[in-house]
Amino acid sequence: MSGACTEGVDTGFVALGAAKVAILGVVQGITELMPISSTAHMRLVPAILGWQDPGSAFSATMQLAALSAVVWYFWADVRAMIGGTLTAVRTRDFSSDHFRLAVGVVLGTIPIVIAGLLLSPILNRCDSPLRGLPVIGVACLVMGALLAVAELVARHERKVEDMRLRDAVIVGVAQVGALIPGVSRSGSTLTAALFRSFTREEAARFSFILGIPAIALAGLHEVATLIHAHLDSQGWFILAVGLVVGTISSFAALWSLMRILERFSTWPFTLYRIVLGAVVLWVSFH
């Protein structure tokens, strides 16, 4: 179904109401951190149910729920990185692992910040061609294939502590793909980290730590966009409902993902993405 505009910004989630947004908050929360594309599900689920498209503003703002879950889950890593970096600067020990990781996070964030600013007018507009189901379906299939190749060629031997700056740059460039609906931020960065021969769980850990600034910037930018669009109090309340539900489901999804990657492979996600892409393409042409 078509979206709704508020001063040129897609705000279809407002018309859905709190109950439907809560349901979509669960879907968004689970799929945002799993390597299966939250955008694909945010387009497919409402389409199947005959609901309004919640819009790109909802999907982007809901990243703040994912951010809460990531920081909560990886708080020990985040605290150690920040504390270690401050200590490294104070003692001029620029060879420390924590300082190198912090620099890597900064370098890995630059590509998506630049690309996000350039593509923002296209991504946020009500008739954005990038939110078309054919685009999402093809993106799901392509990323499913790339994740399969990464699983086959990766040596699964490196840890985050072994990260080199070029690893951060490569994964950061891969993160730009997340701007294309259907690619998945966690999917693109996890795939890139696997190609760099990180173990599955360390690839996910690296992916999420590196993604914290990008997730925060994307969510806060969208909040600013909604403020500029003069979203009313009802809209903010509905969005808040989605954020609360999304935070809880995001944490559950992240915990589950890490358990899966510790014990199994990424093949279930690979197969799911390929099936999902086929379903999205089928829906788009029927």
Side-chain angles (χ1 to χ4, degrees):
M1 296 182 68
S2 61
C5 277
T6 301
E7 297 195 14
V9 178
D10 192 340
T11 57
F13 69 92
V14 178
L16 289 172
K20 291 179 180 177
V21 162
I23 294 172
L24 293 181
V26 173
V27 176
Q28 172 83 13
I30 293 174
T31 58
E32 179 68 39
L33 298 181
M34 293 279 189
I36 55 177
S37 177
S38 60
T39 306
H41 289 81
M42 283 296 98
R43 289 288 284 117
L44 186 59
V45 172
I48 291 174
L49 296 176
W51 294 355
Q52 180 108 0
D53 177 4
S56 58
F58 175 77
S59 297
T61 307
M62 285 293 290
Q63 291 188 60
L64 294 176
L67 174 66
S68 300
V70 170
V71 173
W72 186 6
Y73 189 92
F74 291 105
W75 176 242
D77 289 305
V78 173
R79 181 176 58 187
M81 181 180 68
I82 294 174
T85 299
L86 293 176
T87 299
V89 172
R90 187 171 62 251
T91 62
R92 297 184 180 277
D93 179 19
F94 301 121
S95 62
S96 77
D97 291 341
H98 294 307
F99 181 79
R100 188 172 68 252
L101 178 59
V103 173
V105 169
V106 172
L107 290 177
T109 302
I110 293 173
I112 197 170
V113 169
I114 295 173
L117 290 174
L118 292 175
L119 291 176
S120 180
I122 298 175
L123 292 170
N124 284 331
R125 79 187 199 196
C126 296
D127 59 345
S128 175
L130 292 179
R131 284 183 65 81
L133 289 178
V135 173
I136 294 172
V138 170
C140 284
L141 290 174
V142 171
M143 286 307 302
L146 287 175
L147 184 55
V149 174
E151 183 65 51
L152 290 172
V153 304
R155 294 193 298 272
H156 306 296
E157 60 186 16
R158 299 179 63 199
K159 296 184 177 181
V160 171
E161 288 72 21
D162 304 324
M163 184 214 74
R164 296 185 289 272
L165 293 183
R166 66 172 170 270
D167 297 319
V169 172
I170 290 170
V171 176
V173 171
Q175 189 173 224
V176 173
L179 296 174
I180 302 174
V183 168
S184 167
R185 196 208 66 81
S186 62
S188 60
T189 53
L190 176 65
T191 300
L194 286 175
F195 272 118
R196 300 298 297 166
S197 292
F198 286 86
T199 66
R200 298 180 186 94
E201 60 270 26
E202 290 292 295
R205 179 181 165 213
F206 185 27
S207 164
F208 289 123
I209 293 174
L210 184 143
I212 287 175
I215 296 171
L217 290 171
L220 292 174
H221 176 268
E222 211 59 43
V223 169
T225 299
L226 290 173
I227 292 173
H228 185 264
H230 305 295
L231 185 67
D232 60 22
S233 58
Q234 179 189 8
W236 287 114
F237 170 75
I238 292 172
L239 183 60
V241 170
L243 285 170
V244 171
V245 175
T247 298
I248 297 171
S249 56
S250 290
F251 185 84
L254 181 54
W255 185 91
S256 300
L257 174 63
M258 298 305 292
R259 299 292 81 73
I260 292 171
L261 294 178
E262 286 171 3
R263 294 170 173 80
F264 306 104
S265 70
T266 61
W267 283 110
F269 301 113
T270 298
L271 297 175
Y272 181 82
R273 286 191 66 103
I274 292 173
V275 171
L276 177 64
V279 170
V280 171
L281 287 176
W282 184 86
V283 171
S284 67
F285 294 112
H286 289 80

